[in-house]
Amino acid sequence: MDLTRLSAYELADALDKREVSAVEVTQAHLDRMTAVDPKVHAFLHRTDAAALAQATSVDERRASGAALSRLAGVPIAVKDNLAMRGEPTTCGSRILEGWRPPYDATVVARLRARDLVIVGKTNMDEFAMGSSTEHSAYGQTRNPWDLDRIPGGSGGGSAAAVASFQAPLAIGSDTGGSIRQPAAVTGTVGVKPTYGGVSRYGLVALASSLDQVGPVARSVLDTALLHEAIAGHDPRDSTSINAPVPDVVGAATRADVRGLRIGIVTQLSGDGYQAGVSQRFAEALEHLQHLGAEIVEVSCPSFEYALGAYYLILPSEASSNLARFDGMRFGLRAGDNGDNSVEQVMSLTREAGFGAEVKRRIILGTYALSSGYYDAYYGQAQKVRTLIVRDFAAAFEQVDVLVSPTAPTTAFRLGEKLDDPIAMYLNDVATIPVNLAGIGSMSLPAGLAPEDGLPVGFQIMAPPMADDRLYLVGAALEAALRDQWGHLLIEEAPAL
Amino acid sequence: MTISRADVAHLGRLARLELTDDELDHYSTQLDVILQAVARISEVAADDIPPTSHPVPMENVFRPDVVVPGVDRDEVFAAAPAHEDDRFRVPRILDEE
């Protein structure tokens, strides 16, 4: 039995029955990382020693009859923008090279408390700015389906790690689609929970009003199990929602869409969407209709302006958040020769430590927030945000969930859009409205596009704090497609 | 609306980025393109629409006022570019004169 082919759910079951040990499970995944990651480059750092120590501890406690959490002993990969005490946390940036945080992000602490085994930190676009993971300062991650193509971004490392069976679970963060678009192009499942549903404490901030931590896995049920493990109120995050976590695992198990009203967003389909993406999306809708859901079309006219608003709000918040990287208290310091002033050292440090896309967005954000332009840009973008929230609210009066393709195309080729920011930004056109409104959303595989044989993502969007509906619909669709194919889509990925 | 090279240099100073000549050329061109692409938002947003700064409106959120352990001082200094005694060591912050 190849332990790396099992789902988190199956591994948890086998561990619970003591058919395998956590050390065996962990070692199998570490071996797989050694074998395939030189091709994929999903990981920036491996945490072998800590992982094996944790696994040993799980096995010892299980042997002594201690009560363990459901996912105890299951390996997991963590995106490199989440602080993990004593381990490198670079955010894919030179400015944090060698930095070891003196604390754990709340999500990391919860994973540890639940005895998941963290096997490494995953690659990402620098400070999560990008849709291809090509903006990492430490080299690109490759898509396991086609090594010449992008794995999506910014969380391409987490998605590629899961898609290449290096870990059954991963943590991502989603500011404009950074969990969902990588899931779409790698044939995996990713969820951006409702804003505030999972703590952001210890997540290195990109755009604080948009950022959300969430789960990545190969099946809807595994995603739900991880979602449940990391969600819930955190007093250390003032934007964390103090309310019960929706029953996502129950919903993933029920997988029933009978009587549910599902709305297709008119503005998130048609022109600009690859033919094979539209085809698989339409087929998925037929499945859902066949399962007893009612499909209607819903118009959200303000979504046309979402991309524009996002690319003003995000750089504005990012330019402010990234001001903390000044070379004084942590990370890189450049030009400290005894002559340069503190301001010169800050400017030289930031120039040396940040990559092109980060600088581009800092300058754009500084411009949008500067005196004389604030109202025309940032202020105006915040009004568009109101319109988008209203469009969602009106839509959810008519339907239970909204759906669209996750991304307009399948994975594009490495380098194809690297120096064309607008083309790169357009990848996020279908995922961005969700972040602006703070609602929950899932991407799951809808099949392979006929023209290129690459995975297509199906996006589900639910009202605030109704994340369970994502799992209800996602699990139903996944089951129908699994019946059709005889297996999950990810089983068709190349062996590497 | 066009952004000049001088504008980008000014923004670079505000943002503490010591931009190179190549970057000034490159970014001034690209920022123009990006701003043209996002300018459409002015078509829709009228005066009577309130701004949304945050998806979940919340006010005055405090954690319980109890003492909890902070981060370990030695670990913090170990991760700093320079430190001396129990302080971060930084370049001079005042001019010579």
Side-chain angles (χ1 to χ4, degrees):
Chain A
M1 179 170 54
D2 181 354
L3 295 172
T4 65
R5 303 296 293 190
L6 299 184
S7 68
Y9 175 80
E10 290 164 334
L11 285 170
D13 202 40
L15 285 160
D16 185 51
K17 291 178 181 156
R18 303 195 202 182
E19 293 165 2
V20 290
S21 71
V23 169
E24 287 168 333
V25 170
T26 301
Q27 193 59 53
H29 285 88
L30 295 174
D31 291 347
R32 173 77 181 164
M33 288 160 69
T34 303
V36 304
D37 211 45
K39 295 178 202 167
V40 178
H41 191 43
F43 287 90
L44 291 178
H45 327 287
R46 297 173 56 137
T47 50
D48 294 44
L52 286 166
Q54 174 92 1
T56 303
S57 160
V58 169
D59 287 338
E60 285 169 1
R61 277 176 289 137
R62 203 185 301 274
S64 73
L68 297 173
S69 93
R70 189 162 181 183
L71 293 174
V74 175
I76 187 165
V78 175
K79 191 174 180 181
D80 204 32
N81 58 354
L82 282 146
M84 187 171 169
R85 187 174 180 180
E87 301 287 352
T89 299
T90 67
C91 298
S93 181
R94 289 282 170 213
I95 211 161
L96 282 177
E97 190 166 12
W99 181 59
R100 290 172 189 263
Y103 70 106
D104 275 340
T106 294
V107 166
V108 170
R110 288 195 181 179
L111 296 176
R112 291 192 204 267
R114 284 158 182 69
D115 282 312
L116 281 95
V117 175
I118 300 171
V119 293
K121 305 290 294 293
T122 56
N123 200 10
M124 55 186 285
D125 285 297
E126 184 175 2
F127 288 107
M129 298 184 194
S131 309
S132 68
T133 314
E134 293 169 293
H135 293 307
S136 168
Y138 303 101
Q140 61 210 9
T141 297
R142 292 167 183 273
N143 190 320
W145 289 80
D146 178 345
L147 296 173
D148 293 328
R149 294 189 186 252
I150 60 108
S154 67
S158 285
V162 168
S164 57
F165 294 85
Q166 301 188 62
L169 301 172
I171 297 289
S173 69
D174 191 314
T175 304
S178 289
I179 288 174
R180 292 162 288 154
Q181 181 257 8
V185 301
T186 58
T188 53
V189 182
V191 165
K192 174 210 141 2
T194 294
Y195 182 84
V198 176
S199 170
R200 290 186 297 114
Y201 177 77
L203 169 72
V204 179
L206 169 55
S208 305
S209 78
L210 305 165
D211 296 343
Q212 186 56 61
V213 179
V216 179
R218 289 189 293 261
S219 73
V220 172
L221 179 57
D222 276 7
T223 310
L225 289 168
L226 180 55
H227 188 143
E228 185 185 66
I230 59 174
H233 183 244
D234 177 14
R236 286 175 142 158
D237 174 359
S238 63
T239 60
S240 166
I241 295 171
N242 196 352
V245 178
D247 182 14
V248 292
V249 174
T253 312
R254 259 194 347 275
D256 184 1
V257 294
R258 278 174 297 174
L260 223 59
R261 287 173 65 86
I262 296 177
I264 307 166
V265 182
T266 311
Q267 284 75 12
L268 302 182
S269 60
D271 283 354
Y273 287 79
Q274 189 180 321
V277 169
S278 300
Q279 185 185 332
R280 294 302 179 224
F281 176 66
E283 289 166 4
L285 290 172
E286 283 174 31
H287 275 297
L288 289 168
Q289 194 164 26
H290 189 69
L291 292 169
E294 185 186 347
I295 312 288
V296 296
E297 190 163 324
V298 180
S299 180
C300 296
S302 307
F303 284 17
E304 282 183 44
Y305 304 96
L307 196 70
Y310 177 85
Y311 276 102
L312 288 167
I313 291 170
L314 179 137
S316 297
E317 294 190 13
S319 69
S320 173
N321 273 326
L322 268 57
R324 65 171 58 95
F325 298 101
D326 58 9
M328 297 300 119
R329 294 151 299 159
F330 43 76
L332 181 74
R333 180 184 292 182
D336 188 8
N337 58 5
D339 289 332
N340 286 327
S341 70
V342 70
E343 290 203 351
Q344 287 169 315
V345 171
M346 284 181 188
S347 298
L348 290 165
T349 297
R350 290 162 63 80
E351 174 65 15
F354 289 142
E357 179 64 14
V358 173
K359 289 181 206 169
R360 189 153 47 221
R361 294 201 199 182
I362 288 175
I363 294 166
L364 181 58
T366 305
Y367 179 74
L369 291 176
S370 60
S371 174
Y373 300 105
Y374 181 96
D375 288 340
Y377 288 112
Y378 188 63
Q380 203 72 358
Q382 287 189 311
K383 290 181 177 182
V384 171
R385 194 167 183 179
T386 303
L387 295 175
I388 286 161
V389 171
R390 288 179 182 174
D391 273 5
F392 270 121
F396 286 129
E397 282 183 13
Q398 304 169 58
V399 297
D400 299 299
V401 294
L402 292 165
V403 295
S404 77
T406 309
T409 68
T410 57
F412 48 90
R413 290 185 190 285
L414 291 165
E416 195 177 319
K417 302 182 182 182
L418 194 51
D419 206 36
D420 184 351
I422 297 290
M424 191 70 93
Y425 298 171
L426 278 169
N427 276 290
D428 306 333
V429 69
T431 46
I432 276 174
V434 156
N435 298 81
L436 290 171
I439 65 172
S441 173
M442 169 187 286
S443 178
L444 78 156
L448 302 177
E451 60 267 41
D452 54 22
L454 292 167
V456 172
F458 184 90
Q459 178 175 235
I460 308 165
M461 299 164 265
M465 289 309 284
D467 296 356
D468 49 335
R469 288 189 207 169
L470 306 172
Y471 291 93
L472 199 61
V473 177
L477 176 59
E478 181 186 69
L481 291 168
R482 192 183 218 159
D483 282 350
Q484 180 187 332
W485 300 326
H487 50 252
L488 289 177
L489 188 71
I490 197 68
E491 299 294 335
E492 295 179 33
L496 294 170
Chain B
M1 174 59 59
T2 57
I3 295 204
S4 69
R5 221 170 162 278
D7 291 334
V8 175
H10 175 63
L11 293 167
R13 276 193 297 279
L14 291 176
R16 305 281 184 274
L17 289 169
E18 191 75 41
L19 299 170
T20 64
D21 284 349
D22 279 353
E23 285 178 322
L24 292 176
D25 291 336
H26 205 54
Y27 289 143
S28 55
T29 314
Q30 285 187 332
L31 288 184
D32 260 347
V33 175
I34 295 169
L35 284 173
Q36 278 166 26
V38 300
R40 287 187 62 220
I41 62 163
S42 61
E43 293 170 16
V44 279
D47 287 345
D48 59 343
I49 299 165
T52 297
S53 63
H54 198 274
V56 186
M58 292 181 187
E59 277 181 24
N60 299 339
V61 178
F62 301 110
R63 67 169 172 78
D65 187 16
V66 291
V67 177
V68 292
V71 293
D72 183 86
R73 186 187 299 225
D74 291 337
E75 278 183 72
V76 171
F77 286 128
H83 66 101
E84 200 172 302
D85 301 328
D86 282 346
R87 299 176 185 85
F88 296 109
R89 209 178 69 76
V90 300
R92 66 185 166 83
I93 57 170
L94 299 173
D95 285 332
E96 301 286 343
E97 59 213 70

